[in-house]
Amino acid sequence: MEARDHEIEKELAATLQARRELGPEYESALVDSFLEKVEQRLDTTLDRRVRRHLAEQQVTAARDPRSISPPSAGALSGFGERFGFGVVSLVLAVPLSAIGVANAGIEGLVVAWMGIVGVNVADAARGGGLFRQRGRERRAAPASEWQD
């Protein structure tokens, strides 16, 4: 994964160098081009992760078909919340990155991504994502048949 990060760094450096050479009139086209490359990289990474996850599920199901149970409605909505929050974060990351690079260069990009990471960490810390869903499942399950 570090090799891919190095490629993005090289692309960013080339984009910034081209901006210096071409001037501010080409800035939006250069930023759009760079962000399109980043978006393609994110799409590729997400597709690879989803395929890997599905392949792992298929292998598990092939080994022991009884080990795969249909997800409960609560687990499905928790996944949807986590996935939705992650997608919204990535979608908003694109314009925030562009604004940060356009106004403050690499420092602006770093600040924008620190904010994005901070929001996701805060959501996880307050009980969002996995933590919130696990808590709901534990509270919902009665300790015995005698409890309501």
Side-chain angles (χ1 to χ4, degrees), residues 81 123-124 126-137 139:
E81 290 174 12
D123 181 59
R126 75 169 176 81
L130 289 173
F131 304 115
R132 183 184 320 144
Q133 183 59 32
R134 287 182 184 155
R136 276 191 216 141
E137 288 176 357
R139 284 191 299 269

Side-chain angles (χ1 to χ4, degrees), residues 12 16 19-20 97-111:
L12 178 60
L16 293 173
R19 187 215 179 261
R20 283 187 211 107
S97 298
I99 293 167
V101 168
N103 291 322
I106 190 73
E107 293 86 6
L109 182 68
V110 169
V111 169

Side-chain angles (χ1 to χ4, degrees), residues 62-90:
R63 288 184 182 155
D64 185 11
R66 293 171 286 145
S67 67
I68 303 296
S69 61
S72 66
L76 211 50
S77 68
F79 172 76
E81 290 174 12
R82 292 189 313 268
F83 184 73
F85 192 79
V87 168
V88 169
S89 293
L90 290 176

